PDB file of all heavy atoms in Angstrom:
ATOM      1  N   ARG A   1       7.918   6.743 -14.461  1.00 96.00           N
ATOM      2  CA  ARG A   1       8.743   5.558 -14.773  1.00 96.00           C
ATOM      3  C   ARG A   1       7.961   4.301 -14.980  1.00 96.00           C
ATOM      4  O   ARG A   1       8.579   3.323 -15.248  1.00 96.00           O
ATOM      5  CB  ARG A   1       9.817   5.514 -13.760  1.00 96.00           C
ATOM      6  CG  ARG A   1      10.828   6.604 -13.723  1.00 96.00           C
ATOM      7  CD  ARG A   1      11.874   6.395 -12.817  1.00 96.00           C
ATOM      8  NE  ARG A   1      12.726   7.508 -12.690  1.00 96.00           N
ATOM      9  CZ  ARG A   1      13.505   7.793 -11.597  1.00 96.00           C
ATOM     10  NH1 ARG A   1      13.508   6.998 -10.473  1.00 96.00           N
ATOM     11  NH2 ARG A   1      14.291   8.880 -11.620  1.00 96.00           N
ATOM     12  N   ILE A   2       6.687   4.298 -14.685  1.00 97.00           N
ATOM     13  CA  ILE A   2       5.892   3.040 -14.876  1.00 97.00           C
ATOM     14  C   ILE A   2       5.512   3.099 -16.481  1.00 97.00           C
ATOM     15  O   ILE A   2       4.841   3.995 -16.818  1.00 97.00           O
ATOM     16  CB  ILE A   2       4.616   3.109 -13.981  1.00 97.00           C
ATOM     17  CG1 ILE A   2       4.947   3.251 -12.538  1.00 97.00           C
ATOM     18  CG2 ILE A   2       3.738   1.896 -14.351  1.00 97.00           C
ATOM     19  CD1 ILE A   2       3.772   3.362 -11.590  1.00 97.00           C
ATOM     20  N   VAL A   3       5.972   2.117 -17.079  1.00 96.00           N
ATOM     21  CA  VAL A   3       5.803   1.965 -18.524  1.00 96.00           C
ATOM     22  C   VAL A   3       4.365   1.419 -18.828  1.00 96.00           C
ATOM     23  O   VAL A   3       3.731   1.971 -19.708  1.00 96.00           O
ATOM     24  CB  VAL A   3       6.925   1.099 -19.118  1.00 96.00           C
ATOM     25  CG1 VAL A   3       6.723   0.865 -20.587  1.00 96.00           C
ATOM     26  CG2 VAL A   3       8.255   1.708 -18.840  1.00 96.00           C
ATOM     27  N   SER A   4       3.911   0.416 -18.109  1.00 97.00           N
ATOM     28  CA  SER A   4       2.612   0.010 -18.369  1.00 97.00           C
ATOM     29  C   SER A   4       2.095  -0.591 -16.987  1.00 97.00           C
ATOM     30  O   SER A   4       2.752  -0.923 -16.045  1.00 97.00           O
ATOM     31  CB  SER A   4       2.611  -1.209 -19.338  1.00 97.00           C
ATOM     32  OG  SER A   4       3.369  -2.254 -18.843  1.00 97.00           O
ATOM     33  N   VAL A   5       0.763  -0.747 -16.926  1.00 97.00           N
ATOM     34  CA  VAL A   5       0.096  -1.191 -15.753  1.00 97.00           C
ATOM     35  C   VAL A   5      -1.075  -2.014 -16.174  1.00 97.00           C
ATOM     36  O   VAL A   5      -1.787  -1.744 -17.041  1.00 97.00           O
ATOM     37  CB  VAL A   5      -0.307  -0.103 -14.760  1.00 97.00           C
ATOM     38  CG1 VAL A   5      -1.308   0.815 -15.382  1.00 97.00           C
ATOM     39  CG2 VAL A   5      -0.876  -0.607 -13.476  1.00 97.00           C
ATOM     40  N   THR A   6      -1.229  -3.268 -15.458  1.00 97.00           N
ATOM     41  CA  THR A   6      -2.348  -4.123 -15.797  1.00 97.00           C
ATOM     42  C   THR A   6      -2.938  -4.421 -14.403  1.00 97.00           C
ATOM     43  O   THR A   6      -2.210  -4.969 -13.527  1.00 97.00           O
ATOM     44  CB  THR A   6      -1.872  -5.345 -16.498  1.00 97.00           C
ATOM     45  OG1 THR A   6      -1.149  -5.056 -17.613  1.00 97.00           O
ATOM     46  CG2 THR A   6      -3.026  -6.345 -16.712  1.00 97.00           C
ATOM     47  N   ALA A   7      -4.206  -4.153 -14.236  1.00 97.00           N
ATOM     48  CA  ALA A   7      -4.954  -4.539 -13.072  1.00 97.00           C
ATOM     49  C   ALA A   7      -5.209  -6.007 -13.087  1.00 97.00           C
ATOM     50  O   ALA A   7      -5.551  -6.545 -14.082  1.00 97.00           O
ATOM     51  CB  ALA A   7      -6.263  -3.736 -13.005  1.00 97.00           C
ATOM     52  N   LEU A   8      -4.861  -6.661 -11.950  1.00 98.00           N
ATOM     53  CA  LEU A   8      -5.121  -8.063 -11.760  1.00 98.00           C
ATOM     54  C   LEU A   8      -6.346  -8.319 -10.933  1.00 98.00           C
ATOM     55  O   LEU A   8      -6.732  -7.466 -10.210  1.00 98.00           O
ATOM     56  CB  LEU A   8      -3.908  -8.703 -11.090  1.00 98.00           C
ATOM     57  CG  LEU A   8      -2.492  -8.447 -11.778  1.00 98.00           C
ATOM     58  CD1 LEU A   8      -1.347  -9.045 -10.978  1.00 98.00           C
ATOM     59  CD2 LEU A   8      -2.436  -9.013 -13.208  1.00 98.00           C
ATOM     60  N   GLU A   9      -6.928  -9.542 -11.156  1.00 97.00           N
ATOM     61  CA  GLU A   9      -8.130  -9.869 -10.282  1.00 97.00           C
ATOM     62  C   GLU A   9      -7.725 -10.173  -8.857  1.00 97.00           C
ATOM     63  O   GLU A   9      -8.566 -10.045  -8.061  1.00 97.00           O
ATOM     64  CB  GLU A   9      -8.927 -11.050 -11.027  1.00 97.00           C
ATOM     65  CG  GLU A   9      -9.552 -10.693 -12.264  1.00 97.00           C
ATOM     66  CD  GLU A   9     -10.617  -9.642 -12.071  1.00 97.00           C
ATOM     67  OE1 GLU A   9     -11.483  -9.730 -11.021  1.00 97.00           O
ATOM     68  OE2 GLU A   9     -10.677  -8.634 -12.872  1.00 97.00           O
ATOM     69  N   ALA A  10      -6.654 -10.644  -8.656  1.00 98.00           N
ATOM     70  CA  ALA A  10      -6.171 -11.026  -7.354  1.00 98.00           C
ATOM     71  C   ALA A  10      -6.123  -9.931  -6.373  1.00 98.00           C
ATOM     72  O   ALA A  10      -5.595  -8.909  -6.634  1.00 98.00           O
ATOM     73  CB  ALA A  10      -4.851 -11.768  -7.476  1.00 98.00           C
ATOM     74  N   ARG A  11      -6.783 -10.089  -5.275  1.00 98.00           N
ATOM     75  CA  ARG A  11      -6.650  -9.191  -4.085  1.00 98.00           C
ATOM     76  C   ARG A  11      -5.308  -9.420  -3.345  1.00 98.00           C
ATOM     77  O   ARG A  11      -4.814 -10.657  -3.378  1.00 98.00           O
ATOM     78  CB  ARG A  11      -7.843  -9.307  -3.261  1.00 98.00           C
ATOM     79  CG  ARG A  11      -9.177  -8.966  -3.756  1.00 98.00           C
ATOM     80  CD  ARG A  11     -10.338  -9.080  -2.719  1.00 98.00           C
ATOM     81  NE  ARG A  11     -10.060  -8.218  -1.677  1.00 98.00           N
ATOM     82  CZ  ARG A  11     -10.799  -7.175  -1.397  1.00 98.00           C
ATOM     83  NH1 ARG A  11     -11.906  -6.960  -2.106  1.00 98.00           N
ATOM     84  NH2 ARG A  11     -10.476  -6.398  -0.439  1.00 98.00           N
ATOM     85  N   TYR A  12      -4.723  -8.339  -2.776  1.00 97.00           N
ATOM     86  CA  TYR A  12      -3.489  -8.677  -1.979  1.00 97.00           C
ATOM     87  C   TYR A  12      -3.973  -9.098  -0.605  1.00 97.00           C
ATOM     88  O   TYR A  12      -5.037  -8.863  -0.167  1.00 97.00           O
ATOM     89  CB  TYR A  12      -2.590  -7.512  -1.971  1.00 97.00           C
ATOM     90  CG  TYR A  12      -3.032  -6.044  -1.897  1.00 97.00           C
ATOM     91  CD1 TYR A  12      -3.421  -5.475  -0.642  1.00 97.00           C
ATOM     92  CD2 TYR A  12      -3.100  -5.302  -2.967  1.00 97.00           C
ATOM     93  CE1 TYR A  12      -3.655  -4.201  -0.530  1.00 97.00           C
ATOM     94  CE2 TYR A  12      -3.510  -3.945  -2.842  1.00 97.00           C
ATOM     95  CZ  TYR A  12      -3.728  -3.356  -1.596  1.00 97.00           C
ATOM     96  OH  TYR A  12      -4.144  -2.080  -1.446  1.00 97.00           O
ATOM     97  N   PRO A  13      -3.098  -9.967   0.015  1.00 96.00           N
ATOM     98  CA  PRO A  13      -3.517 -10.634   1.225  1.00 96.00           C
ATOM     99  C   PRO A  13      -3.514  -9.741   2.457  1.00 96.00           C
ATOM    100  O   PRO A  13      -3.994 -10.232   3.535  1.00 96.00           O
ATOM    101  CB  PRO A  13      -2.395 -11.696   1.317  1.00 96.00           C
ATOM    102  CG  PRO A  13      -1.277 -11.092   0.594  1.00 96.00           C
ATOM    103  CD  PRO A  13      -1.772 -10.275  -0.524  1.00 96.00           C
ATOM    104  N   ARG A  14      -3.024  -8.628   2.365  1.00 95.00           N
ATOM    105  CA  ARG A  14      -3.037  -7.658   3.620  1.00 95.00           C
ATOM    106  C   ARG A  14      -4.006  -6.573   3.357  1.00 95.00           C
ATOM    107  O   ARG A  14      -4.260  -6.099   2.242  1.00 95.00           O
ATOM    108  CB  ARG A  14      -1.730  -7.178   3.912  1.00 95.00           C
ATOM    109  CG  ARG A  14      -0.760  -8.375   4.380  1.00 95.00           C
ATOM    110  CD  ARG A  14       0.586  -8.047   4.826  1.00 95.00           C
ATOM    111  NE  ARG A  14       0.595  -7.077   5.862  1.00 95.00           N
ATOM    112  CZ  ARG A  14       1.485  -6.141   6.061  1.00 95.00           C
ATOM    113  NH1 ARG A  14       2.604  -6.103   5.229  1.00 95.00           N
ATOM    114  NH2 ARG A  14       1.499  -5.298   6.964  1.00 95.00           N
ATOM    115  N   ARG A  15      -4.472  -5.948   4.398  1.00 97.00           N
ATOM    116  CA  ARG A  15      -5.378  -4.773   4.263  1.00 97.00           C
ATOM    117  C   ARG A  15      -4.640  -3.522   3.962  1.00 97.00           C
ATOM    118  O   ARG A  15      -3.516  -3.358   4.404  1.00 97.00           O
ATOM    119  CB  ARG A  15      -6.204  -4.559   5.498  1.00 97.00           C
ATOM    120  CG  ARG A  15      -7.138  -5.637   6.004  1.00 97.00           C
ATOM    121  CD  ARG A  15      -8.195  -5.980   4.906  1.00 97.00           C
ATOM    122  NE  ARG A  15      -8.888  -4.776   4.442  1.00 97.00           N
ATOM    123  CZ  ARG A  15     -10.116  -4.690   4.170  1.00 97.00           C
ATOM    124  NH1 ARG A  15     -10.999  -5.717   4.352  1.00 97.00           N
ATOM    125  NH2 ARG A  15     -10.649  -3.570   3.762  1.00 97.00           N
ATOM    126  N   ARG A  16      -5.239  -2.679   3.101  1.00 97.00           N
ATOM    127  CA  ARG A  16      -4.556  -1.475   2.679  1.00 97.00           C
ATOM    128  C   ARG A  16      -4.159  -0.656   3.947  1.00 97.00           C
ATOM    129  O   ARG A  16      -3.105  -0.013   3.916  1.00 97.00           O
ATOM    130  CB  ARG A  16      -5.444  -0.727   1.755  1.00 97.00           C
ATOM    131  CG  ARG A  16      -5.023   0.617   1.366  1.00 97.00           C
ATOM    132  CD  ARG A  16      -6.047   1.340   0.549  1.00 97.00           C
ATOM    133  NE  ARG A  16      -7.317   1.356   1.306  1.00 97.00           N
ATOM    134  CZ  ARG A  16      -8.482   1.727   0.907  1.00 97.00           C
ATOM    135  NH1 ARG A  16      -8.644   2.045  -0.376  1.00 97.00           N
ATOM    136  NH2 ARG A  16      -9.547   1.636   1.620  1.00 97.00           N
ATOM    137  N   GLN A  17      -5.094  -0.560   4.846  1.00 96.00           N
ATOM    138  CA  GLN A  17      -4.841   0.316   6.039  1.00 96.00           C
ATOM    139  C   GLN A  17      -3.686  -0.216   6.823  1.00 96.00           C
ATOM    140  O   GLN A  17      -2.922   0.687   7.315  1.00 96.00           O
ATOM    141  CB  GLN A  17      -6.124   0.418   6.879  1.00 96.00           C
ATOM    142  CG  GLN A  17      -7.277   1.307   6.289  1.00 96.00           C
ATOM    143  CD  GLN A  17      -6.776   2.703   5.963  1.00 96.00           C
ATOM    144  OE1 GLN A  17      -6.243   3.037   4.899  1.00 96.00           O
ATOM    145  NE2 GLN A  17      -6.950   3.608   6.991  1.00 96.00           N
ATOM    146  N   ALA A  18      -3.536  -1.515   6.909  1.00 96.00           N
ATOM    147  CA  ALA A  18      -2.403  -2.011   7.629  1.00 96.00           C
ATOM    148  C   ALA A  18      -1.043  -1.681   6.995  1.00 96.00           C
ATOM    149  O   ALA A  18      -0.016  -1.325   7.554  1.00 96.00           O
ATOM    150  CB  ALA A  18      -2.483  -3.544   7.856  1.00 96.00           C
ATOM    151  N   LEU A  19      -1.010  -1.785   5.659  1.00 97.00           N
ATOM    152  CA  LEU A  19       0.085  -1.385   4.874  1.00 97.00           C
ATOM    153  C   LEU A  19       0.439   0.079   4.939  1.00 97.00           C
ATOM    154  O   LEU A  19       1.605   0.461   5.222  1.00 97.00           O
ATOM    155  CB  LEU A  19      -0.049  -1.756   3.428  1.00 97.00           C
ATOM    156  CG  LEU A  19      -0.140  -3.209   3.025  1.00 97.00           C
ATOM    157  CD1 LEU A  19      -0.633  -3.425   1.666  1.00 97.00           C
ATOM    158  CD2 LEU A  19       1.227  -3.869   3.210  1.00 97.00           C
ATOM    159  N   LEU A  20      -0.545   0.904   4.931  1.00 96.00           N
ATOM    160  CA  LEU A  20      -0.446   2.381   5.012  1.00 96.00           C
ATOM    161  C   LEU A  20       0.145   2.727   6.459  1.00 96.00           C
ATOM    162  O   LEU A  20       1.075   3.444   6.637  1.00 96.00           O
ATOM    163  CB  LEU A  20      -1.759   2.960   4.838  1.00 96.00           C
ATOM    164  CG  LEU A  20      -1.760   4.556   4.685  1.00 96.00           C
ATOM    165  CD1 LEU A  20      -0.744   4.993   3.652  1.00 96.00           C
ATOM    166  CD2 LEU A  20      -3.160   5.014   4.452  1.00 96.00           C
ATOM    167  N   LYS A  21      -0.357   2.095   7.420  1.00 96.00           N
ATOM    168  CA  LYS A  21       0.039   2.274   8.870  1.00 96.00           C
ATOM    169  C   LYS A  21       1.579   1.810   9.047  1.00 96.00           C
ATOM    170  O   LYS A  21       2.368   2.590   9.459  1.00 96.00           O
ATOM    171  CB  LYS A  21      -0.788   1.503   9.794  1.00 96.00           C
ATOM    172  CG  LYS A  21      -0.396   1.761  11.289  1.00 96.00           C
ATOM    173  CD  LYS A  21      -1.306   0.939  12.266  1.00 96.00           C
ATOM    174  CE  LYS A  21      -0.776   1.301  13.673  1.00 96.00           C
ATOM    175  NZ  LYS A  21      -1.060   0.205  14.574  1.00 96.00           N
ATOM    176  N   GLU A  22       1.919   0.714   8.516  1.00 96.00           N
ATOM    177  CA  GLU A  22       3.294   0.196   8.551  1.00 96.00           C
ATOM    178  C   GLU A  22       4.231   1.142   7.796  1.00 96.00           C
ATOM    179  O   GLU A  22       5.298   1.437   8.314  1.00 96.00           O
ATOM    180  CB  GLU A  22       3.428  -1.169   7.806  1.00 96.00           C
ATOM    181  CG  GLU A  22       4.671  -1.848   7.821  1.00 96.00           C
ATOM    182  CD  GLU A  22       4.576  -3.144   7.140  1.00 96.00           C
ATOM    183  OE1 GLU A  22       3.702  -3.969   7.307  1.00 96.00           O
ATOM    184  OE2 GLU A  22       5.650  -3.405   6.312  1.00 96.00           O
ATOM    185  N   TRP A  23       3.858   1.708   6.660  1.00 97.00           N
ATOM    186  CA  TRP A  23       4.692   2.633   5.853  1.00 97.00           C
ATOM    187  C   TRP A  23       4.757   3.968   6.513  1.00 97.00           C
ATOM    188  O   TRP A  23       5.942   4.468   6.659  1.00 97.00           O
ATOM    189  CB  TRP A  23       4.012   2.801   4.480  1.00 97.00           C
ATOM    190  CG  TRP A  23       4.650   3.867   3.707  1.00 97.00           C
ATOM    191  CD1 TRP A  23       5.856   3.736   3.029  1.00 97.00           C
ATOM    192  CD2 TRP A  23       4.168   5.233   3.386  1.00 97.00           C
ATOM    193  NE1 TRP A  23       6.041   5.056   2.402  1.00 97.00           N
ATOM    194  CE2 TRP A  23       5.122   5.904   2.581  1.00 97.00           C
ATOM    195  CE3 TRP A  23       3.017   5.880   3.821  1.00 97.00           C
ATOM    196  CZ2 TRP A  23       4.862   7.149   2.136  1.00 97.00           C
ATOM    197  CZ3 TRP A  23       2.773   7.141   3.360  1.00 97.00           C
ATOM    198  CH2 TRP A  23       3.723   7.755   2.554  1.00 97.00           C
ATOM    199  N   ARG A  24       3.675   4.432   7.130  1.00 96.00           N
ATOM    200  CA  ARG A  24       3.792   5.725   7.892  1.00 96.00           C
ATOM    201  C   ARG A  24       4.750   5.600   9.051  1.00 96.00           C
ATOM    202  O   ARG A  24       5.634   6.444   9.294  1.00 96.00           O
ATOM    203  CB  ARG A  24       2.440   6.068   8.382  1.00 96.00           C
ATOM    204  CG  ARG A  24       1.516   6.736   7.292  1.00 96.00           C
ATOM    205  CD  ARG A  24       0.271   7.253   7.903  1.00 96.00           C
ATOM    206  NE  ARG A  24      -0.317   8.164   6.944  1.00 96.00           N
ATOM    207  CZ  ARG A  24      -1.669   8.144   6.692  1.00 96.00           C
ATOM    208  NH1 ARG A  24      -2.489   7.268   7.449  1.00 96.00           N
ATOM    209  NH2 ARG A  24      -2.214   8.883   5.790  1.00 96.00           N
ATOM    210  N   GLU A  25       4.613   4.427   9.816  1.00 95.00           N
ATOM    211  CA  GLU A  25       5.601   4.254  10.960  1.00 95.00           C
ATOM    212  C   GLU A  25       6.990   4.100  10.486  1.00 95.00           C
ATOM    213  O   GLU A  25       7.949   4.782  11.125  1.00 95.00           O
ATOM    214  CB  GLU A  25       5.182   3.032  11.733  1.00 95.00           C
ATOM    215  CG  GLU A  25       3.941   3.175  12.457  1.00 95.00           C
ATOM    216  CD  GLU A  25       3.333   1.873  13.153  1.00 95.00           C
ATOM    217  OE1 GLU A  25       3.955   0.833  12.964  1.00 95.00           O
ATOM    218  OE2 GLU A  25       2.295   2.063  13.829  1.00 95.00           O
ATOM    219  N   ALA A  26       7.238   3.447   9.387  1.00 94.00           N
ATOM    220  CA  ALA A  26       8.616   3.339   8.973  1.00 94.00           C
ATOM    221  C   ALA A  26       9.211   4.642   8.503  1.00 94.00           C
ATOM    222  O   ALA A  26      10.321   4.905   8.642  1.00 94.00           O
ATOM    223  CB  ALA A  26       8.641   2.279   7.802  1.00 94.00           C
ATOM    224  N   GLU A  27       8.316   5.472   7.883  1.00 94.00           N
ATOM    225  CA  GLU A  27       8.833   6.709   7.320  1.00 94.00           C
ATOM    226  C   GLU A  27       8.705   7.878   8.287  1.00 94.00           C
ATOM    227  O   GLU A  27       9.166   9.033   7.951  1.00 94.00           O
ATOM    228  CB  GLU A  27       7.972   7.058   6.038  1.00 94.00           C
ATOM    229  CG  GLU A  27       8.192   6.074   4.922  1.00 94.00           C
ATOM    230  CD  GLU A  27       9.574   6.118   4.201  1.00 94.00           C
ATOM    231  OE1 GLU A  27      10.050   7.293   4.112  1.00 94.00           O
ATOM    232  OE2 GLU A  27      10.013   5.089   3.789  1.00 94.00           O
ATOM    233  N   GLY A  28       8.155   7.633   9.485  1.00 94.00           N
ATOM    234  CA  GLY A  28       7.987   8.746  10.486  1.00 94.00           C
ATOM    235  C   GLY A  28       6.944   9.808  10.062  1.00 94.00           C
ATOM    236  O   GLY A  28       7.027  10.897  10.367  1.00 94.00           O
ATOM    237  N   ILE A  29       5.904   9.355   9.333  1.00 92.00           N
ATOM    238  CA  ILE A  29       4.880  10.207   8.866  1.00 92.00           C
ATOM    239  C   ILE A  29       3.653  10.106   9.819  1.00 92.00           C
ATOM    240  O   ILE A  29       3.007   9.083  10.010  1.00 92.00           O
ATOM    241  CB  ILE A  29       4.332   9.848   7.353  1.00 92.00           C
ATOM    242  CG1 ILE A  29       5.518   9.948   6.504  1.00 92.00           C
ATOM    243  CG2 ILE A  29       3.242  10.763   6.908  1.00 92.00           C
ATOM    244  CD1 ILE A  29       5.348   9.409   5.109  1.00 92.00           C
ATOM    245  N   PRO A  30       3.332  11.298  10.468  1.00 89.00           N
ATOM    246  CA  PRO A  30       2.214  11.231  11.394  1.00 89.00           C
ATOM    247  C   PRO A  30       0.863  11.135  10.661  1.00 89.00           C
ATOM    248  O   PRO A  30       0.712  11.552   9.541  1.00 89.00           O
ATOM    249  CB  PRO A  30       2.364  12.554  12.147  1.00 89.00           C
ATOM    250  CG  PRO A  30       3.113  13.456  11.360  1.00 89.00           C
ATOM    251  CD  PRO A  30       3.964  12.511  10.502  1.00 89.00           C
ATOM    252  N   VAL A  31      -0.117  10.558  11.362  1.00 83.00           N
ATOM    253  CA  VAL A  31      -1.486  10.534  10.781  1.00 83.00           C
ATOM    254  C   VAL A  31      -2.153  11.901  11.122  1.00 83.00           C
ATOM    255  O   VAL A  31      -2.068  12.366  12.330  1.00 83.00           O
ATOM    256  CB  VAL A  31      -2.248   9.312  11.485  1.00 83.00           C
ATOM    257  CG1 VAL A  31      -3.664   9.346  10.964  1.00 83.00           C
ATOM    258  CG2 VAL A  31      -1.627   8.077  11.301  1.00 83.00           C
TER     259      VAL A  31
END
């Protein structure tokens, strides 16, 4: 369903691992 994607130069302000950890906890997905 993604029609187009453009990579931006801007980095996101949070670390990927922190987002992944937050998502796993919210979804109940064990590491």
